[in-house]
């Protein structure tokens, strides 16, 4: 399966996506996984943080990123935050009690190609440290991902 990125057509009506609400929903959905790994998910995104990117594009990918962190966590303290610089949004998923950095690194490397298809970038910092941070940066614009 091949995927490629297109920006949304100029006339497409888009409303902002609340990253705070999206991450709250994601945390609720992943609560059983968090409980199995005895981990805590903390949404640190401001309630008024919005993106032009559609939730149905960003949320599934972010779910995979947070799931990868949870699968490799034990007694994790996982904080999710976001920053915006110019037209780029960065979502940070930080495990403050990194348990299995080698496996986390492998899981994240498998997601990198999809981040590139979305016009974004995925990185892992501190895989062998107590605190590991996964950064997902993407353009703050409507995106259309097409699979072939």
């Amino acid at each position: 399966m091949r995927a490629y990125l297109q920006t949304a057509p100029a006339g497409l009506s888009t409303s902002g996506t609340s990253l705070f609400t999206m991450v709250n929903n994601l945390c609720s959905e992943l609560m059983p996984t968090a409980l199995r790994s005895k981990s805590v998910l903390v949404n640190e995104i401001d309630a008024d943080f919005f993106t032009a990117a559609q939730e149905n594009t960003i949320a599934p990918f972010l779910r995979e990123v947070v799931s990868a962190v949870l699968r490799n966590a034990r007694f994790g303290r996982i904080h999710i935050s976001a920053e915006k610089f110019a037209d780029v949004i960065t979502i940070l998923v930080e495990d403050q009690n990194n348990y299995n950095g080698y496996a986390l690194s492998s899981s994240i490397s498998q997601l990198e190609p999809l981040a590139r298809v979305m016009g974004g970038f995925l990185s892992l910092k501190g895989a062998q440290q107590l605190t590991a941070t996964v950064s997902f940066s993407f353009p703050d614009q409507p995106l259309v991902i097409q699979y072939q």
Side-chain angles (χ1 to χ4, degrees):
M1 174 169 42
R2 290 183 13 205
Y4 64 94
L5 168 74
Q6 279 186 283
T7 56
L12 184 64
S13 170
T14 60
S15 57
T17 298
S18 168
L19 286 180
F20 174 80
T21 301
M22 182 176 67
V23 169
N24 265 353
N25 293 340
L26 178 65
C27 289
S28 294
E29 179 183 328
L30 293 175
M31 189 57 65
T33 306
L35 291 173
R36 277 193 298 277
S37 68
K38 297 178 176 53
S39 297
V40 176
L41 291 168
V42 180
N43 182 359
E44 295 181 343
I45 297 176
D46 289 336
D48 60 352
F49 199 120
F50 288 83
T51 178
Q54 299 91 336
E55 182 171 354
N56 64 355
T57 303
I58 301 301
F61 184 76
L62 188 57
R63 181 181 306 109
E64 289 300 319
V65 170
V66 176
S67 293
V69 173
L70 281 170
R71 276 193 310 271
N72 297 293
R74 297 295 177 272
F75 302 100
R77 294 185 316 273
I78 300 162
H79 294 253
I80 303 170
S81 60
E83 304 169 338
K84 183 174 180 179
F85 299 103
D87 291 334
V88 175
I89 292 179
T90 301
I91 298 176
L92 303 160
V93 181
E94 180 181 84
D95 184 354
Q96 298 177 351
N97 191 29
N98 183 24
Y99 173 75
N100 193 352
Y102 290 113
L104 178 58
S105 181
S106 175
S107 297
I108 294 302
S109 70
Q110 293 174 20
L111 296 172
E112 285 176 333
L114 184 54
R116 286 192 300 274
V117 167
M118 297 171 68
F121 181 74
L122 186 67
S123 68
L124 172 61
K125 180 178 138 190
Q128 304 310 314
Q129 306 293 321
L130 182 60
T131 299
T133 304
V134 179
S135 300
F136 170 44
S137 300
F138 59 93
D140 187 20
Q141 65 186 23
L143 304 173
V144 177
I145 305 295
Q146 297 183 351
Y147 295 95
Q148 294 182 337

